[in-house]
Amino acid sequence: MEWHQIENAAAVAQTRNFTRAAKKQAISQPALSRSIMKLEEELGAPLFLRGKKEVQLTQAGVIFVQKAQQALQLMKEAKEDIQEIVSPDKGHISIAFLPTFGPHVLPNLIAEYKRLYPNVTFQLSQGAGEVNMKKVQEEEADLCITAPPYKRHDIEWTVIREEQLYITVPASHPFATRPYLSFREAAAEPFVTFKKGFGLRFMFDEMCEELGIEPQITFEGEEVPTIAGFVAAGLGLCVLPKKPEIAHEPLVFIQISDYSLVRKIAIGVKKRGALSPAARQFKTFAEKYLQQNHGGQV
């Protein structure tokens, strides 16, 4: 049984006339008749009673056409669903990102993209850098926006921004008046950090290891505003980027003098994965937007 035979049978049932059905299917009437006869032979039962003026469905024809119409509708829906996927102006995009990108970066980026492509839908999830990367590896997310770009053989990274990290102290701290501060000196103070698995914690631990320092950690958190609040309250120092969401806190950002600590922010996709046209178009847009739009500070 071939698909065009199903379509031909449905056309005859709809028009009740072989001539009109042939015209509807854009084939000759003899070709249509042969198609129907071949289908009836394969099914082992006549589908139509050929009258002089009108064609009638047999009992077998009623059953077959009913199922044929269901199949045609399902195929129509399948084609529409596929068009949603393959169209870069529609489709669905899943993104995993760091919590630090949530208050400003992602909303601004997606709002700008939705202005251009309103029919695209998004699924968003936030978590630690390693969690986001794993979502891409396991194809639970099309792409991740995270930092730093962890070295993994199956992830392809595009660095979109670099930002300086600072020793962050409360405004009342004795270090607050200093433009530069060595991490070795700062490490004598207690520190507030991110939990293991977060990119900033990874970079903090890497710096400590390279400098041979084991600072006292008094609190581990997951969000920049919370950690900044602990620092502002005098419960420890921290290593942070300057972020809009903590601008209101009484904090001072001091440049590290004995270690170059720069955070690379990157978009990651699976190397051997096939991005949908919508996800591929969004990735290109996001790279350009985040590289050029300094208003949406990462």
Side-chain angles (χ1 to χ4, degrees), residues 4-39:
H4 73 272
Q5 292 175 301
I6 298 174
E7 293 178 318
N8 290 342
V12 173
Q14 181 184 14
T15 61
R16 302 287 175 160
N17 182 280
F18 274 78
T19 301
R20 290 194 294 270
K23 185 176 181 180
K24 183 176 185 294
Q25 294 300 100
I27 59 176
S28 67
Q29 183 174 334
L32 178 74
S33 296
R34 287 194 298 271
S35 171
I36 297 298
M37 289 177 63
K38 185 177 180 182
L39 177 61

Side-chain angles (χ1 to χ4, degrees), residues 245-258:
E245 61 265 33
I246 56 176
H248 64 283
E249 295 287 357
L251 301 176
V252 175
F253 296 85
I254 307 172
Q255 189 167 333
I256 302 171
S257 61
D258 57 348

Side-chain angles (χ1 to χ4, degrees), residues 45-263:
L47 301 178
F48 302 100
L49 296 174
R50 280 81 167 167
K52 291 183 178 180
K53 294 184 178 181
E54 190 176 74
V55 173
Q56 298 293 328
L57 286 167
T58 65
Q59 185 177 0
V62 170
I63 296 172
F64 180 84
V65 170
Q66 183 182 43
K67 299 297 184 183
Q69 289 172 340
Q70 292 175 0
L72 290 168
Q73 179 61 30
L74 287 173
M75 185 58 66
K76 179 177 178 292
E77 293 172 2
K79 289 179 179 179
E80 291 173 351
D81 289 346
I82 290 171
Q83 287 303 310
E84 289 284 332
I85 295 173
V86 302
S87 172
D89 300 340
K90 299 180 181 179
H92 184 75
I93 304 167
S94 54
I95 306 170
F97 61 96
L98 290 177
T100 53
F101 302 163
H104 300 279
V105 181
L106 260 295
N108 293 339
L109 169 61
I110 291 177
E112 184 65 20
Y113 193 77
K114 289 282 284 184
R115 186 180 67 81
L116 299 173
Y117 307 103
N119 295 320
V120 173
T121 59
F122 289 88
Q123 177 182 332
L124 306 175
S125 62
Q126 64 179 18
E130 290 183 355
V131 173
N132 296 332
M133 184 178 59
K134 188 175 181 181
K135 285 182 179 292
V136 172
Q137 289 175 314
E138 297 180 354
E139 299 183 354
E140 294 180 12
D142 295 314
L143 56 92
C144 64
I145 305 177
T146 192
Y150 299 87
K151 293 181 180 179
R152 298 291 188 275
H153 71 280
D154 56 345
I155 299 291
E156 178 182 294
W157 297 102
T158 302
V159 176
I160 54 174
R161 188 80 62 85
E162 294 185 359
E163 62 182 12
Q164 189 74 39
L165 300 183
Y166 302 86
I167 295 175
T168 308
V169 304
S172 59
H173 197 280
F175 290 154
T177 58
R178 298 172 59 171
Y180 301 94
L181 180 66
S182 73
F183 186 74
R184 288 182 175 86
E185 184 179 357
E189 300 278 326
F191 265 80
V192 177
T193 71
F194 285 84
K195 291 181 179 179
K196 294 281 188 180
F198 282 83
L200 285 171
R201 177 60 183 270
F202 174 83
M203 297 182 68
F204 179 83
D205 289 346
E206 190 174 53
M207 176 175 64
C208 292
E209 183 178 352
E210 291 186 18
L211 294 177
I213 296 171
E214 294 184 12
Q216 176 191 356
I217 296 175
T218 59
F219 175 80
E220 295 178 323
E222 297 181 354
E223 297 183 350
V224 168
T226 301
I227 289 177
F230 272 73
V231 175
L235 298 175
L237 310 187
C238 189
V239 173
L240 288 173
K242 293 180 180 179
K243 308 297 292 183
E245 61 265 33
I246 56 176
H248 64 283
E249 295 287 357
L251 301 176
V252 175
F253 296 85
I254 307 172
Q255 189 167 333
I256 302 171
S257 61
D258 57 348
Y259 193 90
S260 178
L261 196 59
V262 177
R263 181 166 80 153

